[in-house]
Amino acid sequence: MRECDVLVVGAGGAGLVAALNAHKAGAKVKIITKEYPTRSQTSMAQGGMNAALGNAGEDSVEAHIANTLKAAAGLGDEEMVTYMCQEAPKAVEWLNSIGVCFSRTEESKIAQRRLGGASAARACYAKDYTGLKILHTLYDRVLACEIEVLNERYLLNYITNVDEKGKKYIGGATFLNIRTGEVEVHESASVIVATGGYSRIYHKHSTNSSASTGDGIAAAIRAGARLSDMEFIQFHPTALKNSSILISESARGAGGHLLNSKGERFTNELAPRDEVARAIDAEIKKGEEIFLDIRHLGEHFIDEELPQERKLAKLYEGVDPVHELIPIKPAAHYTMGGIEVDNTSQTVIKGLFACGECANHKVHGANRLGGNSLLEIVVFGAQAGESAAEYSKDFHMPIDASLQRRRDENFIRGVKYFTNQIDFYQKREFIGNIFYNNVGIAREDMGLKAVLGAIRQIQKELPFMGPKDKSKHYNTNLVEFIEFGNMVELSEIVLVCAISRNESRGAHYRSDIPQANDIAYKAHTIVWKEDGVLCADFME
Amino acid sequence: MKIEIKRYTTEPEERSALITYEIDEKAQTLLEALNYIKTKLDPSLSFSSGCRSSVCGSCAVLVNGKETLACSHKIKEGDVIEPLKNMPILRDLVVDSQVAYEFNKKAKAWQSSHAKTQTLTIEDEKRNEVQSDCILCSSCFSACPVYSVNGSFLGPFALTRVWRYVSDARESEEQSKIENIQTNGIWDCTLCNECTIACPQGISSKGDIEKLRSKSAMHGFMDPNFAQSFGGGFSGGFGFDGSPAF
Ligand SMILES: Cc1cc2nc3c(=O)[nH]c(=O)nc-3n(C[C@H](O)[C@H](O)[C@H](O)COP(=O)(O)OP(=O)(O)OC[C@H]3O[C@@H](n4cnc5c(N)ncnc54)[C@H](O)[C@@H]3O)c2cc1C
Ligand code: SF4
Ligand code: SF4
Ligand code: FES
């Protein structure tokens, strides 16, 4: 039985905005997440959300478009970027209208600050808690609208059926109820995927939440959707060395220095993110250790402007930045690639929509500007919500979930009998390390191919892994194993794309081919599966 | 280094025990220690986490009886780790947070309608700046002693959230918001301040409840306990002969 019109999977900023807009358009909406909404990674965003409001000096939508396209390095879709930047002021206005506590200026306007790559102070912020305050306010709005939210349910697969013309359409999704251990089927006329990115492939070398395992993207390609630009992964230059926790760009913006083991500065700290990350990476590969030095900014300034940074450095690295150097390294921060969507946020599967970091609306292209992803989740979250509501109005097709249900029930039952001769936690760490070293900031053909070999081997070994914990209720060992499976699936895709792209562009830097090649590669990498076999191509 | 963790499971039968683990000295935070146990010693250990940087509110537990975020606590020899209180335990350190979050719904902790105004002064902003820092970690909920006597009490974070919206210049229907928190709400709090002590974000729900009380008075609501001792005449507190009635 179809229980709702729009099923939203994932309850970060993108999912909640989509749900609110679908609800507003009159659809019956249900949100399902593997955590609780307010625990989503969106809570971690500090810097801000871009909109050319011009509240802190002159700015224009045109400048926002130009900056975004420049960072995208030839892979930004002009139509989509223009739409996003034009919608930005409205998006901020809407957030303000539902009660988001933005920081304000003396003139009682929303305060804005300048982030890297922007020609003006364009990022609206709420102290260092921009994402937190946006996410919580959205959640409160969802409660006000009485939208149903189901927590602690893990997306396994989408349910698809085929119409008389042989075209696939969506019919809902299957979930593992983490609490009961049972497989649940949720039928729906349409599904919006908003499950976030896949930076956790880099494991301990990522700034992301442990939930960013790319589940919704892996399920999408399994169901027959297409993914694009998966090789583009942004590294943030300054994360704490041991924990990869983000040290905000403002530390460098305020005059922080980057030093190597000899105490020498080796790069312009204010260059774009990818340049700084590459400079650091090159030093590390020479055997240097890298430090961020903010001692000269003084205790007063640090306590006023960078209190979180001081706290986290003390806690995780055991150093006090007021008196000591902070050990840092670049870490995987944002995944530009994702589920391929059209200009209504729909995938090639009818009724399957995607938004947020899991989707590729081609607004970030080869590199994302800081502050554009919070913007993206609001603008395209709204679009996905409206599109899905519209689509489901005319949906009268039968839904048959029996096959998918049987498959997933068998899988959940069967996976507990996997032999456990190989520890998947060790492999997870291993993949993180080889990805960081070979599929990270600087890549070259040989290294990429070696990692691909290792990943294919791990794919074969999966049946010898599996959860050690065999219990039914709240089995996080099982959940982490399924997440691991999804990451292995996406790892192969990232590698195939990175190997095919024989050039350097944006965040994809090939040390063996350091130039861009517009004639061959100014195009999007598209991947899909045919009878389980991975196919890749370039498309304008 | 050794720490002790309270384990709880329902399979194959309901059991609970305090188990000692030997932790790698490299683990700095409790969350790292928990991950170390899960990936190296015992994969069945269950706990929640997300951001590792004290902002997602997933990882609150009791450390030596005190509410603490696992990701912001440096472990010490002999630390005893238990799940939060006042919520049913699902497994090991995982509690049913839905029970706590439901109170946001009951308290109607949101803005009544879309606001038209775009301008807010810095002063407006400061009024609920700290309250809107809440990460919904439920630490205050766990620390609040009122639940043992009244399971319907709206509780600290939900009331803080009501204050966060009521005090916002964009809220247009203060009256109904205030009315909604009169029963099982602000007057049931004993002002014991346990919530303030437990909060990792420097929020004082007690303080917010006091502010809501004065706002309520301005809207013509009265402390029902207080009102009763007057309105109830002789039956309210003292026996006819003046001796305390129990
Ligand atoms: C430290 C940090 C700082 C950042 N700062 C900024 C910034 O200043 N400005 C900016 O614009 N961007 C910033 N970003 C990026 C931005 O925060 C993210 O891109 C954005 O929040 C993604 O939102 P989302 O809704 O797409 O996904 P998420 O917020 O990641 O939410 C994903 C949701 O999907 C759910 N989910 C995942 N898998 C499953 C499954 N299998 N089943 C069910 N549910 C599932 C999760 O539980 C979660 O609810 C930052 C990111 C990080 C890590
Ligand atoms: S002050 Fe009130 S809300 Fe806070 S813990 Fe005490 S009784 Fe609970
Ligand atoms: S008020 Fe403080 S203790 Fe309570 S849920 Fe919010 S952050 Fe946690
Ligand atoms: S892991 Fe997010 S608050 Fe501790």
Side-chain angles (χ1 to χ4, degrees):
Chain A
M1 245 278 289
R2 163 179 161 187
E3 315 145 52
C4 61
D5 304 323
V6 179
L7 171 63
V8 181
V9 187
L16 297 184
V17 173
L20 285 167
N21 280 278
H23 171 83
K24 188 169 153 229
K28 185 166 187 300
V29 182
K30 189 192 303 188
I31 304 172
I32 303 189
T33 159
K34 67 176 173 182
E35 310 168 274
Y36 292 87
T38 54
R39 297 183 182 181
S40 306
Q41 173 173 284
T42 298
S43 66
M44 297 166 73
Q46 309 171 334
M49 164 174 170
N50 291 340
L53 304 177
N55 289 353
E58 213 165 299
D59 197 8
S60 69
V61 171
E62 289 69 35
H64 188 184
I65 296 171
N67 294 161
T68 304
L69 287 173
K70 177 157 185 251
L75 293 187
D77 180 314
E78 240 181 285
E79 185 197 322
M80 299 291 241
V81 169
T82 304
Y83 177 73
M84 177 177 83
C85 298
Q86 276 172 347
E87 288 293 301
K90 267 184 267 170
V92 172
E93 191 177 308
W94 179 73
L95 289 175
N96 183 60
S97 79
I98 63 171
V100 174
C101 293
F102 285 111
S103 296
R104 306 281 160 170
T105 65
E106 297 288 344
E107 299 81 40
S108 305
K109 292 180 188 158
I110 291 171
Q112 297 188 283
R113 61 183 165 207
R114 188 162 169 177
L115 299 180
S119 59
R122 187 177 295 140
C124 305
Y125 62 94
K127 294 198 301 182
D128 267 351
Y129 287 127
T130 316
L132 174 80
K133 295 198 189 204
I134 291 177
L135 182 66
H136 280 243
T137 311
L138 290 170
Y139 172 65
D140 296 340
R141 204 71 234 141
V142 163
L143 294 186
C145 294
E146 296 181 27
I147 296 171
E148 185 182 3
V149 185
L150 299 176
N151 305 307
E152 307 201 294
R153 284 167 175 85
Y154 182 96
L155 168 78
L156 295 170
N157 281 298
Y158 307 114
I159 297 160
T160 56
N161 293 126
V162 179
D163 67 14
E164 66 282 358
K165 289 192 211 106
K167 191 148 171 40
K168 259 191 192 171
Y169 64 92
I170 202 85
T174 56
F175 295 84
L176 171 72
N177 181 325
I178 298 173
R179 294 186 179 190
T180 65
E182 300 286 343
V183 171
E184 286 179 5
V185 168
H186 292 267
E187 293 184 7
S188 176
S190 66
V191 173
I192 300 176
V193 199
T195 49
Y198 48 95
S199 286
R200 289 301 295 192
I201 292 177
Y202 295 83
H203 194 56
K204 64 172 196 268
H205 309 288
S206 166
T207 62
N208 278 209
S209 150
S210 47
S212 298
T213 52
D215 305 331
I217 306 175
I221 193 163
R222 287 199 293 270
R226 309 193 314 172
L227 312 182
S228 52
D229 300 331
M230 294 290 286
E231 68 275 34
F232 293 103
I233 293 151
Q234 180 178 79
F235 280 74
H236 198 288
T238 55
L240 291 179
K241 187 174 175 210
N242 291 314
S243 59
S244 293
I245 285 174
L246 183 76
I247 293 293
S248 136
E249 220 166 65
S250 43
R252 274 173 296 133
H257 293 157
L258 290 168
L259 306 178
N260 60 19
S261 315
K262 302 183 199 84
E264 297 159 350
R265 286 173 72 187
F266 54 88
T267 184
N268 168 14
E269 286 85 357
L270 300 173
R273 267 184 201 173
D274 52 335
E275 268 178 49
V276 180
R278 273 201 294 280
I280 297 176
D281 190 59
E283 289 290 308
I284 292 176
K285 285 192 173 140
K286 279 190 243 161
E288 297 287 329
E289 278 182 86
I290 308 301
F291 303 92
L292 178 65
D293 184 6
I294 56 171
R295 291 173 301 182
H296 54 287
L297 302 180
E299 181 159 14
H300 178 72
F301 181 87
I302 293 172
D303 279 345
E304 279 300 305
E305 299 296 325
L306 304 162
Q308 288 286 335
E309 274 65 23
R310 186 176 186 187
K311 187 179 119 190
L312 292 167
K314 275 186 183 167
L315 185 66
Y316 278 97
E317 305 289 333
V319 301
D320 183 349
V322 170
H323 309 290
E324 289 159 288
L325 300 175
I326 315 170
I328 57 106
K329 68 170 183 207
H333 185 54
Y334 185 87
T335 48
M336 272 74 76
I339 304 168
E340 171 82 353
V341 290
D342 64 15
N343 59 3
T344 67
S345 298
Q346 189 164 212
T347 68
V348 291
I349 299 173
K350 279 203 293 178
L352 181 66
F353 299 80
C355 58
E357 195 172 334
C358 70
N360 184 9
H361 282 86
K362 307 205 174 88
V363 286
H364 308 306
N367 211 348
R368 174 193 73 116
L369 272 192
N372 265 356
S373 35
L374 285 179
L375 170 60
E376 168 194 23
I377 64 181
V378 181
V379 171
F380 293 108
Q383 183 187 70
E386 283 161 18
S387 305
E390 188 59 36
Y391 168 88
S392 57
K393 270 188 204 151
D394 306 316
F395 178 85
H396 303 292
M397 302 291 285
I399 295 173
D400 180 3
S402 54
L403 180 66
Q404 197 59 54
R405 174 195 284 275
R406 214 170 327 118
R407 274 194 196 149
D408 290 330
E409 280 176 349
N410 285 342
F411 171 73
I412 293 297
R413 210 173 304 125
V415 73
K416 301 226 179 104
Y417 295 100
F418 281 21
T419 57
N420 251 306
Q421 296 159 51
I422 302 174
D423 178 6
F424 81 85
Y425 285 126
Q426 252 173 25
K427 293 288 172 187
R428 189 174 74 177
E429 200 177 327
F430 173 66
I431 294 179
N433 290 338
I434 57 175
F435 254 69
Y436 185 64
N437 290 321
N438 300 286
V439 200
I441 299 156
R443 310 161 170 188
E444 45 98 27
D445 191 60
M446 283 246 294
L448 292 171
K449 284 181 178 155
V451 177
L452 183 60
I455 294 293
R456 295 221 160 116
Q457 179 61 27
I458 289 171
Q459 283 174 339
K460 287 196 208 112
E461 290 168 354
L462 278 172
F464 301 100
M465 300 182 196
K468 282 210 176 77
D469 181 358
K470 308 293 180 195
S471 48
K472 221 166 134 82
H473 297 160
Y474 222 96
N475 187 338
T476 48
N477 187 216
L478 169 63
V479 169
E480 289 177 351
F481 180 66
I482 307 175
E483 288 177 339
F484 174 72
N486 283 329
M487 287 193 286
V488 171
E489 189 160 4
L490 294 184
S491 296
E492 183 192 10
I493 295 170
V494 170
L495 285 161
V496 167
C497 296
I499 291 169
S500 322
R501 187 173 286 281
N502 288 304
E503 63 155 359
S504 292
R505 184 182 296 277
H508 173 72
Y509 179 76
R510 288 274 301 259
S511 46
D512 48 351
I513 324 168
Q515 272 84 39
N517 177 349
D518 277 358
I519 299 164
Y521 298 113
K522 200 180 162 195
H524 300 278
T525 338
I526 310 276
V527 293
W528 68 96
K529 278 191 174 165
E530 266 170 42
D531 300 321
V533 179
L534 187 63
C535 311
D537 201 358
F538 286 100
M539 268 175 226
E540 288 270 325
Chain B
M1 192 187 302
K2 285 190 176 66
I3 63 172
E4 288 182 281
I5 300 179
K6 181 85 168 284
R7 303 287 307 263
Y8 169 85
T9 178
T10 51
E11 288 170 78
E13 71 272 335
E14 195 171 345
R15 270 175 308 160
S16 115
L18 208 55
I19 311 270
T20 307
Y21 294 94
E22 182 76 43
I23 306 295
D24 180 17
E25 299 289 335
K26 275 211 305 244
Q28 297 272 343
T29 64
L30 173 56
L31 181 56
E32 286 173 306
L34 295 174
N35 274 317
Y36 173 80
I37 296 170
K38 187 163 185 71
T39 57
K40 302 276 187 323
L41 307 176
D42 183 352
S44 72
L45 179 70
S46 303
F47 55 91
S48 301
S49 71
C51 67
R52 303 163 294 138
S53 52
S54 313
V55 73
C56 76
S58 304
C59 67
V61 290
L62 296 183
V63 178
N64 306 323
K66 287 207 162 50
E67 287 74 14
T68 312
L69 295 178
C71 66
S72 73
H73 175 72
K74 255 197 164 114
I75 46 166
K76 288 185 295 298
E77 181 71 38
D79 275 348
V80 178
I81 319 300
E82 294 166 284
L84 290 183
K85 296 174 294 188
N86 288 332
M87 287 158 276
I89 304 169
L90 294 175
R91 190 172 168 183
D92 298 336
L93 301 175
V94 182
V95 294
D96 185 351
S97 304
Q98 189 55 37
V99 169
Y101 295 162
E102 280 301 313
F103 285 102
N104 280 332
K105 223 183 271 182
K106 295 202 180 102
K108 298 200 179 12
W110 51 73
Q111 191 175 290
S112 311
S113 56
H114 288 249
K116 300 211 172 43
T117 171
Q118 288 295 314
T119 51
L120 287 189
T121 62
I122 291 181
E123 198 185 317
D124 291 332
E125 173 205 339
K126 296 290 171 218
R127 210 172 299 130
N128 57 9
E129 186 178 47
V130 174
Q131 287 83 355
S132 56
D133 285 348
C134 170
I135 60 172
L136 282 183
C137 66
S138 301
S139 289
C140 53
F141 190 91
S142 164
C144 178
V146 173
Y147 288 99
S148 51
V149 286
N150 179 8
S152 307
F153 177 46
L154 291 174
F157 67 69
L159 290 169
T160 281
R161 216 160 255 249
V162 171
W163 172 255
R164 169 244 188 276
Y165 282 106
V166 163
S167 63
D168 198 296
R170 288 164 291 191
E171 178 55 58
S172 54
E173 287 168 48
E174 216 175 271
Q175 176 79 16
S176 66
K177 284 252 160 306
I178 292 288
E179 197 174 326
N180 189 52
I181 51 163
Q182 299 300 312
T183 1
N184 292 320
I186 47 173
W187 308 110
D188 292 57
C189 162
T190 62
L191 305 182
C192 71
N193 208 34
E194 292 295 334
C195 50
T196 313
I197 297 165
C199 181
Q201 290 291 79
I203 296 165
S204 171
S205 292
K206 170 197 174 249
D208 298 333
I209 289 168
E210 285 178 311
K211 283 181 262 181
L212 284 167
R213 283 185 180 183
S214 24
K215 250 221 177 9
S216 296
M218 274 148 54
H219 282 268
F221 295 101
M222 250 201 288
D223 182 349
N225 312 312
F226 189 60
Q228 209 182 24
S229 58
F230 280 105
F234 291 115
S235 60
F238 287 89
F240 195 61
D241 60 359
S243 62
F246 293 105

